[in-house]
Amino acid sequence: MAVSVSILAVITSLHLIAFVLAIGAESRRSTAKVVPDQYDERTYCVYDTDASTVYGLAAFGLLLISQMIVNGVTRCLCFGKGLVTGSCSTTCAIIFFIFSWVSFLGAEACLLAGSARNAYHTKYRGFLGQKDLSCATLRKGVFAAGAALTLLSLIGSFLYYWAHSRADTGGWEKHRNEGVGMTSSSYPQQQQTSEFEKA
């Protein structure tokens, strides 16, 4: 399997769009303020926007699609004639495979948890006379961590696909097999020539 520029372009595009969406989700996190209820003594939280939830879930989906494409093309490191050689490319493919999965799972966890937490809205917080009221909001930096891990996932996926393609093409093993084939086919001819010379 040779490296496909179109697959690399799709992987890079999906990761970069997910990165931009994660940055947008970080900047558009929900904020809230405590407002007294006009009908009773209780207070409640008023939230402004849920744009971060939408951005975070969109980034989550794009990152998932990109990971599915990479592992679909490489068959999730399970098949391939070059992956049984034990070469340096095979070792690099395994290392980058693990790295891409760890960074992918970390990014997905941050994006999903951030989206879920951002969508959680508390309604009532207590009575009007109570002090130190706070509305549940997403902590700063969750989507930013997801964005950083998205870039690491892009690097890991890119290098994994490249190393897997290099290992799967055979490299030096392909030339070795061709050389063995030429030697075995020319040997009987040399033996027949030497027998004719003796006669």
Side-chain angles (χ1 to χ4, degrees), residues 74-80 83-84 97 160 164:
T74 60
R75 300 185 186 115
C76 202
L77 200 65
C78 297
F79 302 99
L83 294 176
V84 296
F97 173 78
Y160 160 60
H164 182 277

Side-chain angles (χ1 to χ4, degrees), residues 64-180:
L64 181 63
I65 292 171
S66 179
Q67 190 74 2
M68 289 173 60
I69 290 173
V70 172
N71 287 278
V73 170
T74 60
R75 300 185 186 115
C76 202
L77 200 65
C78 297
F79 302 99
K81 58 184 179 180
L83 294 176
V84 296
T85 62
S87 64
C88 180
S89 297
T90 303
T91 306
C92 290
I94 294 171
I95 292 172
F96 291 134
F97 173 78
I98 296 171
F99 178 75
S100 69
W101 268 103
V102 170
S103 56
F104 163 74
L105 292 175
E108 292 287 74
C110 289
L111 293 172
L112 188 60
S115 299
R117 184 64 177 172
N118 189 77
Y120 177 71
H121 294 171
T122 52
K123 188 175 181 182
Y124 288 97
R125 297 298 299 170
F127 293 98
L128 188 60
Q130 188 175 349
K131 296 181 180 180
D132 299 328
L133 291 177
S134 63
C135 300
T137 55
L138 177 65
R139 183 184 303 176
K140 185 178 181 180
V142 176
F143 284 118
L149 288 170
T150 299
L151 284 183
L152 290 178
S153 176
L154 169 61
I155 295 170
S157 298
F158 191 93
L159 293 175
Y160 160 60
Y161 176 67
W162 174 78
H164 182 277
S165 300
R166 188 172 176 185
D168 199 40
T169 53
W172 61 269
E173 184 187 9
K174 180 179 178 182
H175 296 296
R176 185 185 67 181
N177 288 341
E178 289 176 354
V180 169

Side-chain angles (χ1 to χ4, degrees), residues 14 17-19 21-22 54-64 108 111:
L14 291 174
I17 295 172
F19 171 77
L21 289 173
V54 177
Y55 292 164
L57 291 177
F60 176 88
L62 290 175
L63 199 57
L64 181 63
E108 292 287 74
L111 293 172

Side-chain angles (χ1 to χ4, degrees), residues 4-25:
S4 174
V5 178
S6 60
I7 291 176
L8 289 177
V10 169
I11 293 169
T12 304
S13 300
L14 291 174
H15 273 83
L16 290 179
I17 295 172
F19 171 77
V20 171
L21 289 173
I23 294 296

